[in-house]
Amino acid sequence: MLADTPTEWGVVCEITKHQLAPELETVIYRVASEALVNARKHAQAARVDLLVEASDGEILHLVIVDDGRGFDVDAVTERTARGERFGLLGMEERVAGLGGTCRVTSRPGSGTRVEAFLPLKARVAEEVRERALAVA
């Protein structure tokens, strides 16, 4: 995907090991992937910053910020309601499915910020385990 991009991509990582629920890992990956693809495909961003941090041991905070063209969030939300675009809605639904919240802020000419706040103890994982125990 990035091979045909004329921009030089640099990655700086600081990794602290945390054991996350697989459902949480998947949502983090999907939301980050969607935001990065949007930054490349639509925003024409020269820079994208991505941060994943656990705050106070209970909430995971995911932030993706780009310096691209930005867009009118309300207009995209209306297009989603008409069935034209589903990327932002997909991010919001994935995060909400784990009991978290997702916020996208942008405006034309100012870049985009995607933030997700997810409980480290994912609600879905607990519900799946409870159902499995009830069936057994």
Side-chain angles (χ1 to χ4, degrees), residues 30-48:
R30 297 289 186 194
V31 171
S33 294
E34 181 69 25
L36 292 170
V37 166
N38 287 346
R40 180 175 181 267
K41 185 176 179 182
H42 303 294
Q44 299 173 345
R47 179 182 175 115
V48 179

Side-chain angles (χ1 to χ4, degrees), residues 11 18 31 36 39-40 42 54 59 65 70 72 81 83 90 95 97 99 116 118 132 136:
V11 177
H18 287 280
V31 171
L36 292 170
R40 180 175 181 267
H42 303 294
I59 301 293
V65 179
D72 181 336
V95 171
L118 292 143

Side-chain angles (χ1 to χ4, degrees), residues 6 8 11 14 19 66 68 78-79 88 94 96 102 108 115 119:
E8 180 179 324
V11 177
E14 178 180 324
Q19 184 65 41
D66 73 54
E78 288 175 18
R79 290 170 66 188
L88 297 181
R94 287 178 190 277
C102 183
E115 283 188 280

